[in-house]
Amino acid sequence: MSTGDATISNPFADPALHDDRHRFVEESTLSVGRNASLTLGTDSLIVLDEGFTRKEPIKCCGLIPSKSKTTKAIPFFNILWAEVSEFDIVIHHAHPISKDVVRVSVIEYLVEKPERPQVTAWVSKLLDRAYGESQRNKRIKVLINPYGGKGSAQKWYTRDIEPIFTAARCKVDVERTQFQGHAVEIAEKLDTDAYDVIASCSGDGLPHEVFNGLGRKRDAQRALSNIAVVQLPCGSGNAMSWSLNGTDSNSMAALCIVKGIRTPLDLVSITQGEKRTLSFLSQSLGIVAESDLGTDNLRWLGSARFTYGFLVRLLRKTIYPCDIAVKVEIGTKAEIKQHCHAQYHSRLSMEERRRVPEQSKPLNSSDDEGLPVLRYGSITDDLPPDWNLVPYDNLGNFYAGNMKYMAADSPFFSAAFPNDGYMDLVTIDGDIRRSTAIKLMLSVESGKFFDMPEVLYRKITGYRIIPRQKDGCISIDGERAPFAPFQAEVHHGLGTVLSRNGHLYEGEGISPSGPGELN
């Protein structure tokens, strides 16, 4: 039997299909010079260039000179920009120089004038593959905290971030914050029609300020929907970048922002006294808040200060008595696993993910007005009729979260989603055995925390907590809040961020049968 062309060896093959495949290969491949070609592969740009072959200074076994490959594959995710100039085609991409660092690199080939129309069409296809549903040429307002990263934020921006934004043809406006709360003022006065993104070169504190600045605008709901808030990680926790980008590398985070997909984010209103603030990350009272805020004097330890603070309080078996009322929506781990399964396998449009069910939307709320009306009232109002205030005499940890990661290797809220309309609440007793508490701490990094029997994990839409102690720590997005009663409620899809996926956080999730990544 002939081993030639499939249309000859197989009498049932459709010649039209063969022609289509041949045409597809021709349209996907661009010849550049006598010895080089560029091909649009499945998920990468394939560069074939005989010029890559060269004698290497390192010899195999000290005897035979080795040769480099003639091909290289550049993932479409790493393609920053491509264009045809008067004489050549130029492709900028993010080239990995280590596991966590990328640098801008350029591929350039001469193009003959008669070939320019074909090359221009090919470049258009390349950019379509490189960006997908992500917006090109993002207009980015960059806020740099000059004290972030132990004073290195400006240096990191110049070295690691700015070249990537420039190569991707982003339009960038940089401003340095001058004092605590400055980002609130900047965001409140910002023309949100002039930018697509506000990027905070900082820890998690600056994004907190930005959300609250946007929340002060007269058209707060429109502003929070219109502009994406992102983090360029320069702090000690960088929970936002870990959750949305899966990294705390400045250069990798910059690449993720260039390629980021607009994603609605649930925000939480916190009322304390007469004040209302927005939270995007977490609220805590107990050992987590104490481990964070109670170790400010140890910031020089970096993320290790959290572990140190945790262990010190763990050995003391500290408890934080309080009264708690919770609006529970999904109350068992089995039900939460089923919810996670449904979330992982649903891919709605941006508008569908942001849309609030009519029955949960206040009658007098409007997309053109300020923040949504509080469904459950504020801390100064009577408790909602279907809430019950329950004494919790032995509380060790009260932790409500909206993002998966709270720090590197700390996916406390492994069942969290950007816009499922819930907060994830973890409560743990403070009088458990020390050995058990250490197992709990170690289980966070291993991904077994959710299934630990000592962890009460619930999906909720609101809560009220009243501390009974005189002194202590309350943390809102890692920032210190007054040690006083407060109430929280979630707003479905009120904010906007950029994520790699478009509707999920990075890292492993919860499957119906237990921890593990869902496909």
Side-chain angles (χ1 to χ4, degrees):
M1 180 180 290
S2 171
T3 58
D5 193 293
T7 57
I8 298 174
S9 61
N10 181 5
F12 301 102
D14 185 349
L17 291 178
H18 175 266
D19 292 342
D20 287 344
R21 283 196 296 268
H22 184 69
R23 190 180 307 112
F24 175 79
V25 171
E26 283 188 337
E27 293 176 351
S28 298
T29 300
L30 182 69
S31 296
V32 282
R34 290 185 302 171
N35 301 312
S37 66
L38 306 172
T39 300
L40 303 178
T42 303
D43 55 10
S44 302
L45 169 64
I46 310 301
V47 184
L48 171 63
D49 192 336
E50 297 295 335
F52 291 159
T53 304
R54 64 185 186 279
K55 297 289 184 180
E56 297 285 350
I58 301 175
K59 297 181 179 180
C60 176
C61 304
L63 298 173
I64 305 172
S66 62
K67 292 185 178 182
S68 64
K69 295 180 179 179
T70 59
T71 61
K72 67 169 67 172
I74 304 171
F76 288 131
F77 187 81
N78 288 45
I79 300 293
L80 298 170
W81 198 248
E83 59 191 5
V84 183
S85 66
E86 186 176 359
F87 299 108
D88 49 21
I89 177 175
V90 182
I91 301 173
H92 292 80
H93 65 99
H95 175 67
I97 62 171
S98 70
K99 179 183 177 182
D100 300 314
V101 179
V102 293
R103 292 284 184 264
V104 175
S105 185
V106 180
I107 298 173
E108 192 170 359
Y109 291 100
L110 289 174
V111 174
E112 298 294 337
K113 190 173 182 179
E115 299 172 347
R116 284 176 59 85
Q118 177 193 356
V119 175
T120 301
W122 185 91
V123 165
S124 178
K125 292 179 182 178
L126 171 62
L127 290 176
D128 286 343
R129 300 286 291 276
Y131 278 85
E133 62 180 293
S134 176
Q135 178 187 353
R136 306 177 195 177
N137 309 121
K138 293 182 176 74
R139 302 168 300 167
I140 305 175
K141 176 74 174 182
V142 174
L143 303 181
I144 298 178
N145 176 5
Y147 303 104
K150 302 176 184 178
S152 299
Q154 178 64 62
K155 179 183 74 174
W156 291 341
Y157 174 76
T158 303
R159 183 191 67 190
D160 302 328
I161 300 165
E162 185 178 31
I164 290 175
F165 286 170
T166 301
R169 303 300 188 266
C170 294
K171 300 175 178 63
V172 180
D173 175 24
V174 179
E175 186 168 351
R176 289 154 191 83
T177 57
Q178 304 299 319
F179 49 85
Q180 187 172 8
H182 191 194
V184 176
E185 296 182 7
I186 294 171
E188 183 180 8
K189 297 174 183 177
L190 193 72
D191 179 3
T192 55
D193 290 324
Y195 301 95
D196 305 303
V197 179
I198 303 180
S200 296
C201 201
S202 66
D204 295 306
L206 229 56
H208 172 82
E209 292 187 14
V210 170
F211 277 120
N212 279 279
L214 296 174
R216 289 185 180 183
K217 298 177 80 69
R218 292 188 62 182
D219 60 343
Q221 293 185 56
R222 178 179 177 275
L224 288 163
S225 171
N226 199 44
I227 194 163
V229 179
V230 301
Q231 179 189 44
L232 294 161
C234 293
S236 53
N238 305 315
M240 188 181 205
S241 184
W242 275 111
S243 295
L244 296 170
N245 304 323
T247 183
D248 65 351
S249 159
N250 301 300
S251 58
M252 281 300 301
L255 173 60
C256 289
I257 288 169
V258 166
K259 294 303 182 73
I261 300 170
R262 289 175 61 83
T263 306
L265 180 72
D266 297 337
L267 296 179
V268 177
S269 275
I270 307 294
T271 58
Q272 194 172 43
E274 299 297 327
K275 186 177 180 181
R276 178 181 181 180
T277 57
L278 291 176
S279 169
F280 77 95
L281 179 61
S282 66
Q283 311 94 49
S284 62
L285 184 152
I287 194 169
V288 170
E290 297 276 348
S291 301
D292 182 2
L293 302 176
T295 58
D296 269 344
N297 60 320
L298 300 173
R299 284 189 174 271
W300 56 273
L301 283 174
S303 60
R305 71 184 176 94
F306 301 109
T307 303
Y308 171 81
F310 186 92
L311 290 173
V312 167
R313 287 153 183 82
L314 175 66
L315 294 174
R316 296 175 184 165
K317 299 186 75 171
T318 311
I319 59 173
Y320 308 85
C322 59
D323 299 319
I324 304 174
V326 181
K327 177 63 174 175
V328 178
E329 303 294 346
I330 307 179
T332 70
K333 291 181 179 179
E335 291 173 316
I336 290 174
K337 289 179 179 181
Q338 292 301 320
H339 171 75
C340 291
H341 182 76
Q343 287 289 317
Y344 268 88
H345 289 85
S346 68
R347 185 61 187 265
L348 303 176
S349 68
M350 178 80 173
E351 293 74 19
E352 290 171 322
R353 280 177 271 143
R354 193 187 297 282
R355 190 175 299 130
V356 181
E358 289 302 319
Q359 61 270 24
S360 66
K361 191 170 184 177
L363 294 177
N364 58 340
S365 72
S366 168
D367 292 339
D368 296 325
E369 294 182 356
L371 292 176
V373 174
L374 296 170
R375 287 181 289 161
Y376 303 133
S378 72
I379 187 65
T380 60
D381 295 323
D382 292 336
L383 200 67
D386 56 343
W387 292 23
N388 294 315
L389 201 61
V390 178
Y392 204 147
D393 298 326
N394 62 336
L395 178 69
N397 187 31
F398 180 96
Y399 208 2
N402 191 40
M403 288 194 170
K404 180 175 291 185
Y405 284 86
M406 296 296 109
D409 302 319
S410 297
F412 269 97
F413 302 104
S414 52
F417 295 91
N419 47 74
D420 66 351
Y422 302 124
M423 292 177 275
D424 287 31
L425 175 62
V426 168
T427 51
I428 302 173
D429 294 344
D431 54 3
I432 59 177
R433 296 169 60 92
R434 292 186 180 95
S435 58
T436 301
I438 291 175
K439 288 180 182 178
L440 285 174
M441 184 182 72
L442 297 176
S443 71
V444 176
E445 183 175 350
S446 67
K448 300 177 181 178
F449 180 75
F450 178 89
D451 283 310
M452 295 292 282
E454 296 80 11
V455 175
L456 180 58
Y457 197 116
R458 292 169 284 178
K459 290 274 187 179
I460 67 173
T461 52
Y463 66 85
R464 179 179 293 188
I465 184 166
I466 303 174
R468 290 198 224 133
Q469 297 172 269
K470 291 184 178 179
D471 300 306
C473 293
I474 291 175
S475 172
I476 308 294
D477 294 350
E479 303 296 310
R480 185 183 295 272
F483 194 73
F486 68 95
Q487 184 163 307
E489 75 168 64
V490 68
H491 305 294
H492 189 185
L494 178 62
T496 306
V497 292
L498 299 177
S499 69
R500 293 186 66 155
N501 183 281
H503 77 300
L504 302 174
Y505 288 128
E506 293 299 300
E508 292 189 350
I510 301 295
S511 72
S513 58
E517 189 168 359
L518 290 174
N519 298 318

